Amino acid sequence: MKLVKLAIVLLPSCSGQYPALFQRDFAGIKMLERLILTLQRAGLSEITILSQKSVGNIREKTKENMANDPRFKVEITWHEQTENKDQKIWQHIQSLIGSQNFLLMNGNMVVTATTIQDFIEQSSQAGVFEQDEIVVLEGPKIKPGNIFLSPSSKFEAVKNHIKNPNTQTLGNVISLDGPKHFAKLVEDEPSARQIESAFINLHKHYYQQFMDFWVNSYFSLKISSLLVKTSITPNVLTLFGLVIGLLSAWQFAQGGYWGGLLGGLAFVGTAIWDCCDGDVARLKFMESDFGDKLDTTCDNLNNVFAFAGIMIGTAVNSGFLHALIPFILLGVGGSLIFYFIYFPKGGKGSFFYGTWVYDLIQHLASRNFVYIALLFGIFGHMDWFLWLSGFGANFFAVALYISKKRLLASG
């Protein structure tokens, strides 16, 4: 059972810059809609939006966009505070809350789903819900006073805080300081630009591979910050990566020093671009199982393109047999590796899950090796890289076979 499923979102008075800010594209999604999707991703299934005075046409535009967007699945209720029906609004909100815990936050926030999820989880672990206390969230990237958790019994205290935020002090503190914890208050256009940049750069922490985190993200996030402003979908970006892969293969196939070097650089380009489709999918809440499978398929195709190009380039430089033998070795080893990893259970090494072999598979299946190819290209020895890959693939296939046989024997 969910500890918290209801969020109350407070919109500031829609005067000054706020109407434009709520409808501003923030990393590809309008700011208020991003907050709704974030709360939905965090597991909250009911959202009540409470505005001070009129919200103009923001309500209508947001509802229209949500109705035509399959990403939105959460239930939304809207209330505008006016002097005439202020008491009725509070009575209705109290009836919505009932006896459940709820999240309270400012609507002009940019926050990650991880932040909300961890706030709720750590509050639960600290026994806050049992102690009937209001809790405020803070952290190095989170200014306190904008996000709260409250039991229903503290509704009056919460209501007083909303009416007089400068005089009412609420509850205890939960501090989050992880790399994915982020919650910033957007108050004007300059702060929106600054927070948007910081929010996009935060996504480097979703990378697990060494070169992705330290090198590829430096370029990919700059590219992704432009791509999210377009209507291009992550799957289209994934498919376009094949074009870069073919360019890499064509350069490798030219042979010579510059063919190897330019091919290596383009091969690195496939790794950087491969980060971009993931960035855009996460930023725009467009991740899917199909997209993940398409990404894996295109990664494998780019590897096939690259090695085919390297074989042709090696044949141009050193002769056909000098290229064919290591390529056949690579083909045999690669096929065996594919079989041992994906069969009988399927998945990227799921049969070996929980063993050192699984960790090794994840490491070798990473994009880091494109930089090894570039290094051989810099030194003008792509043929050495082809031979190394051919022998290495077969050694790894043998190691997988032995490990799989032992696992089957052990039950």
Side-chain angles (χ1 to χ4, degrees), residues 58-203:
I58 293 175
R59 175 175 177 172
E60 287 69 28
K61 285 185 177 180
T62 302
K63 279 189 170 183
E64 181 182 353
N65 292 340
M66 289 176 60
N68 298 321
D69 192 331
R71 290 175 296 179
F72 292 94
K73 298 176 174 61
V74 70
E75 180 182 342
I76 302 286
T77 57
W78 295 73
H79 300 283
E80 296 179 6
Q81 288 180 290
T82 63
E83 292 182 2
N84 295 332
K85 57 179 181 177
D86 182 68
Q87 188 60 35
K88 290 184 179 180
I89 286 175
W90 287 114
Q91 290 174 352
H92 181 63
I93 292 174
Q94 190 169 20
S95 68
L96 288 174
I97 294 171
S99 61
Q100 64 181 318
N101 307 309
F102 62 94
L103 181 80
L104 172 70
M105 66 182 301
N106 284 319
N108 52 324
M109 294 283 301
V110 176
V111 62
T112 63
T114 301
T115 303
I116 300 298
Q117 289 170 329
D118 289 352
F119 179 39
I120 295 172
E121 181 180 348
Q122 291 197 24
S123 296
S124 174
Q125 291 173 353
V128 168
F129 299 127
E130 290 77 9
Q131 297 168 17
D132 209 33
E133 297 177 337
I134 298 174
V135 193
V136 59
L137 174 64
E138 70 170 19
K141 299 178 183 177
I142 306 167
K143 184 179 178 181
N146 295 306
I147 303 179
F148 303 90
L149 274 174
S150 175
S152 58
S153 60
K154 300 295 183 180
F155 176 76
E156 285 299 322
V158 170
K159 183 173 74 172
N160 292 334
H161 170 77
I162 293 172
K163 291 184 174 182
N164 301 288
N166 297 323
T167 59
Q168 180 75 17
T169 301
L170 292 183
N172 299 316
V173 172
I174 292 288
S175 183
L176 298 178
D177 59 357
K180 296 180 184 179
H181 294 142
F182 183 95
K184 297 288 185 181
L185 200 65
V186 178
E187 298 180 294
D188 50 33
E189 181 58 31
S191 71
R193 290 194 296 268
Q194 183 180 16
I195 292 170
E196 182 179 27
S197 177
F199 179 74
I200 291 174
N201 289 331
L202 176 80
H203 282 67

Side-chain angles (χ1 to χ4, degrees), residues 12 21 25 94 109 141 150 154 156 162 167 195 198 223 232-233 276 295 312 320 348 386 392:
L21 286 175
D25 277 347
Q94 190 169 20
M109 294 283 301
K141 299 178 183 177
S150 175
K154 300 295 183 180
E156 285 299 322
I162 293 172
T167 59
I195 292 170
I223 298 170
I232 303 174
T233 66
C276 293
D295 185 66
I312 296 171
F320 183 69
K348 193 181 290 184
L386 187 61

Side-chain angles (χ1 to χ4, degrees), residues 261-335:
L261 178 60
L262 294 176
L265 289 171
F267 201 23
V268 167
T270 65
I272 293 172
W273 190 262
D274 193 29
C275 292
C276 293
D277 56 11
D279 293 337
V280 173
R282 282 185 292 271
L283 286 165
K284 299 180 83 169
F285 298 88
M286 298 179 73
E287 306 100 314
S288 67
D289 290 338
F290 174 77
D292 185 57
K293 292 175 181 177
L294 179 66
D295 185 66
T296 299
T297 300
C298 290
D299 287 348
N300 290 328
L301 285 173
N302 278 333
N303 292 339
V304 171
F305 296 159
F307 281 109
I310 293 170
M311 183 201 71
I312 296 171
T314 300
V316 170
N317 294 336
S318 307
F320 183 69
L321 282 179
H322 191 69
L324 183 62
I325 294 173
F327 190 72
I328 291 175
L329 286 172
L330 180 61
V332 172
S335 298

Side-chain angles (χ1 to χ4, degrees), residues 338-403:
F338 182 84
Y339 176 79
F340 292 143
I341 287 178
Y342 285 93
F343 295 93
K345 285 191 174 182
K348 193 181 290 184
S350 58
F351 180 85
F352 301 93
Y353 190 79
T355 69
W356 66 270
V357 178
Y358 180 82
D359 295 332
L360 183 60
I361 289 170
Q362 302 305 310
H363 181 73
L364 293 176
S366 71
R367 292 179 285 260
N368 295 335
F369 85 97
V370 301
Y371 286 93
I372 300 175
L374 176 61
L375 190 63
F376 278 91
I378 291 172
F379 288 100
H381 286 292
M382 291 309 303
D383 55 335
W384 291 9
F385 178 71
L386 187 61
W387 281 94
L388 177 65
S389 300
F391 282 114
N394 283 275
F395 281 129
F396 186 47
V398 171
L400 285 176
Y401 172 75
I402 294 172
S403 178

